Amino acid sequence: MLLWFVALYLMVSVGIGLLAATRVHNVKDFAVAGRSLPLPVVTATVFATWFGAEAVFGVSATFVKEGLTGVVADPFGSSLCLILAGILFSRYLYRLNILTLGDFYRIRYNRAAEVLTTLCIVTSYLGWVAAQIKALGLIFFVVTDGALSQTAGMVIGAAIVVTYTTFGGMFSVAILDFVQMAVSLGGLLFIAWVASGKVDGGTATVVSHAAAAGKLDFFPEADPLKWVAFLGAWVTMMLGSIPQQDVFQRVTSAKSARIALWGSVLGASIYFCFTFVPMFIAYSATLIDPARFGGMIEQDSQLVLPTLVLQHMPLAAQVLFFGAVLSAIMSCSSATLLAPSVSFAENVVRGFWPEMSGRRFLWVMRANLVGFACLVLAFALNSSASILQMVESAYKVTLAGAFVPLIAGIFWKRATSQGALAAIFGGLLAWLLVEALVAGGEGAGVYGYALIGDDAIPPQLVGLAVSALGMLAGSLLPQWIAHPAPARHPHHAAAQTHHAAAPAHHPHADQPPRQPG
């Protein structure tokens, strides 16, 4: 019965996504939903940016093992990322009227910066989307009681998401996000209510037990090295995920700059509060059946939630839970498949064929999406990393290579193309060098950084520092790299961007550029 409900839900989801595809007529509709989304839909789609596999399975499993200290990156860092993106960047980027974040790097710096940062952004999505696909495989494995392997589940899950995203683009993503947010909130709240009823003393007992076990201690011990690792995990997720195309797409899909701002802040706030629900459910499991779930935490803590629901919940609760989880994961994975595909097509492929018609370019974006999905599936099938590890590792490359050029390009008038390239190359090389020399291996600590003796080394923070120095030095020293005069600074040059000069067949030409300010 549960399997039939899940199959029906998947069919309905695909149907909604394909129905939304009828509204896609050009590249702008596909990439940013025609910049037409109202506040409730923007809020829902910002919430869905993060509420996926890592929030339901990864964060809850990590909390049960390590407490709040272990989940500093998500939800604390990820929520702050969305709030900062809304307050500091949403109105500015919205008014540029551009299609991708890579367009900003070209307008503000040059073509080389555009391509390099786009490659960083696209690469970062590999682990993130793979985490969603891996979670879909886990769900199908559990729902079918092992009849369907996790490998087969990953293939089926990827095929379903690719189907409606390829045709509907951001319209499908946004409409499904709105529907799936309601299912996720309702389903998981009901499960939390049922779980608390199975514990003597209810919610108060669960919370007091977690506090007594030290799970609610947020800050690490008074050890400078542990604090470096703690802050490194927080900063990686908070800042490294700001230069991301899916965050940008959700902001710029809004009807207005004001909706972009408030949708981002509201979506982030709802996400932060609601992520504690899966944590509560997972910890309740350890009190409902300590013997069974205690051993499961040591072996594979990601199975705690689905096993609790299947073995201790009524059918109605099971249907709601798996509907909620599928909603969360599908909405997250569809957007994270769309974002790198649009970025690569717009900021890499288009540079080689600038005269391509809008209709043909739309199909190039769709082909990129299918190709990236195949690459992600191969990575997910061959990776042994946990869901949360995949997500947290995704943002190291953008923190080291794309964050400094973004923030300097917006807030520092003296930033130049030479400084941007120095920041990109310096940050990436420093991060990779430290990662290769001292990170990884058997000494990996709780935050995913290598332990050298008693020292915690966060390589991406080294990359961030070198990137900042590269921007500063490269911009202030004598200039050897020409800086395009029309793109000296977006505040003064938006009217002279390539969008303003685009020929009629350019996919952006149907929307005149707006003056940023």
Side-chain angles (χ1 to χ4, degrees):
M1 184 65 71
L2 174 62
L3 186 58
W4 282 109
F5 274 115
V6 170
L8 178 62
Y9 179 80
L10 291 173
M11 291 172 63
V12 171
S13 296
V14 172
I16 294 173
L18 293 178
L19 182 63
T22 60
R23 298 187 60 181
V24 176
H25 305 295
N26 53 47
V27 169
K28 190 173 184 180
D29 290 341
F30 187 80
V32 291
R35 291 165 65 98
S36 62
L37 301 182
L39 179 61
V41 178
V42 174
T43 300
T45 198
V46 168
F47 167 85
T49 303
W50 288 108
F51 199 76
E54 74 286 352
V56 178
F57 294 124
V59 173
S60 61
T62 304
F63 171 77
V64 170
K65 293 177 67 175
E66 303 167 10
L68 288 180
T69 307
V71 296
V72 59
D74 192 5
F76 294 92
S78 54
S79 301
L80 282 172
C81 154
L82 295 174
I83 290 174
L84 288 174
I87 294 174
L88 298 180
F89 303 105
S90 64
R91 290 190 177 188
Y92 175 84
L93 293 175
Y94 185 90
R95 290 167 182 169
L96 285 180
N97 192 26
I98 52 180
L99 194 66
T100 67
L101 199 56
D103 289 342
F104 166 82
Y105 292 103
R106 180 190 61 250
I107 294 168
R108 181 64 177 87
Y109 301 115
N110 57 19
R111 168 70 175 162
E114 172 193 18
V115 172
L116 290 171
T117 52
T118 297
L119 292 177
C120 288
I121 292 169
V122 171
T123 302
S124 72
Y125 279 99
L126 190 61
W128 192 2
V129 188
Q132 315 308 316
I133 301 302
K134 195 167 187 175
L136 286 173
L138 178 66
I139 290 175
F140 285 121
F141 174 78
V142 172
V143 168
T144 60
D145 198 21
L148 195 66
S149 68
Q150 291 196 39
T151 297
M154 289 184 207
V155 174
I156 293 173
I160 292 171
V161 173
V162 166
T163 299
Y164 68 79
T165 310
T166 299
F167 290 99
M170 192 60 193
F171 266 124
S172 290
V173 170
I175 293 174
L176 277 172
D177 281 352
F178 185 73
V179 174
Q180 291 167 340
M181 177 182 172
V183 175
S184 300
L185 293 175
L188 288 174
L189 284 173
F190 179 74
I191 295 295
W193 177 72
V194 174
S196 66
K198 291 181 175 292
V199 179
D200 292 336
T203 302
T205 299
V206 177
V207 174
S208 61
H209 191 283
K215 301 299 182 183
L216 302 185
D217 296 338
F218 178 65
F219 295 107
E221 301 171 15
D223 183 336
L225 297 174
K226 290 184 178 179
W227 271 89
V228 169
F230 175 81
L231 293 174
W234 197 343
V235 168
T236 299
M237 191 70 87
M238 180 174 62
L239 302 184
S241 49
I242 286 179
Q244 290 289 340
Q245 175 64 17
D246 68 306
V247 175
F248 171 83
Q249 276 179 301
R250 283 163 157 81
V251 167
T252 54
S253 296
K255 274 185 177 181
S256 66
R258 182 179 178 83
I259 290 176
L261 168 62
W262 284 108
S264 183
V265 173
L266 288 174
S269 302
I270 296 172
Y271 170 77
F272 177 78
C273 296
F274 196 71
T275 309
F276 287 91
V277 176
M279 293 188 217
F280 174 84
I281 299 171
Y283 197 81
S284 299
T286 64
L287 303 182
I288 294 171
D289 192 347
R292 179 175 183 81
F293 292 109
M296 188 175 292
I297 289 171
E298 298 301 322
Q299 296 174 0
D300 189 353
S301 55
Q302 294 174 157
L303 289 172
V304 170
L305 264 181
T307 304
L308 169 70
V309 173
L310 283 175
Q311 296 187 358
H312 294 273
M313 300 285 171
L315 179 61
Q318 294 177 22
V319 171
L320 283 173
F321 173 78
F322 286 104
V325 171
L326 282 171
S327 295
I329 295 172
M330 288 172 63
S331 61
C332 188
S333 55
S334 58
T336 50
L337 273 175
L338 178 66
S341 307
V342 169
S343 290
F344 189 80
E346 165 69 6
N347 301 116
V348 178
V349 176
R350 174 166 282 285
F352 294 100
W353 291 279
E355 302 302 319
M356 188 185 304
S357 68
R359 182 175 295 275
R360 180 172 294 181
F361 188 59
L362 178 59
W363 283 103
V364 168
M365 284 188 173
R366 287 170 167 157
N368 281 346
L369 194 149
V370 174
F372 189 73
C374 293
L375 184 63
V376 165
L377 180 60
F379 181 76
L381 292 173
N382 292 282
S383 175
S384 59
S386 71
I387 291 172
L388 190 60
Q389 286 173 337
M390 283 183 172
V391 172
E392 288 184 354
S393 64
Y395 305 107
K396 295 179 181 180
V397 60
T398 45
L399 180 68
F403 176 73
V404 170
L406 174 65
I407 196 161
I410 292 176
F411 296 107
W412 190 35
K413 290 198 298 183
R414 298 186 66 181
T416 65
S417 297
Q418 180 171 286
L421 293 178
I424 296 167
F425 281 113
L428 290 176
L429 290 175
W431 164 58
L432 291 172
L433 184 61
V434 176
E435 194 85 51
L437 293 179
V438 300
E442 298 179 356
V446 66
Y447 303 107
Y449 308 130
L451 299 181
I452 308 302
D454 293 326
D455 297 342
I457 307 294
Q460 67 274 22
L461 287 192
V462 177
L464 176 63
V466 173
S467 181
L469 289 174
M471 173 59 76
L472 185 65
S475 298
L476 296 180
L477 291 175
Q479 300 298 297
W480 296 93
I481 298 177
H483 193 96
R488 192 69 184 175
H489 194 273
H491 283 295
H492 305 141
Q496 302 180 53
T497 67
H498 86 171
H499 297 288
H505 64 261
H506 193 286
H508 305 169
D510 58 344
Q511 184 79 6
R514 303 185 183 191
Q515 293 293 335

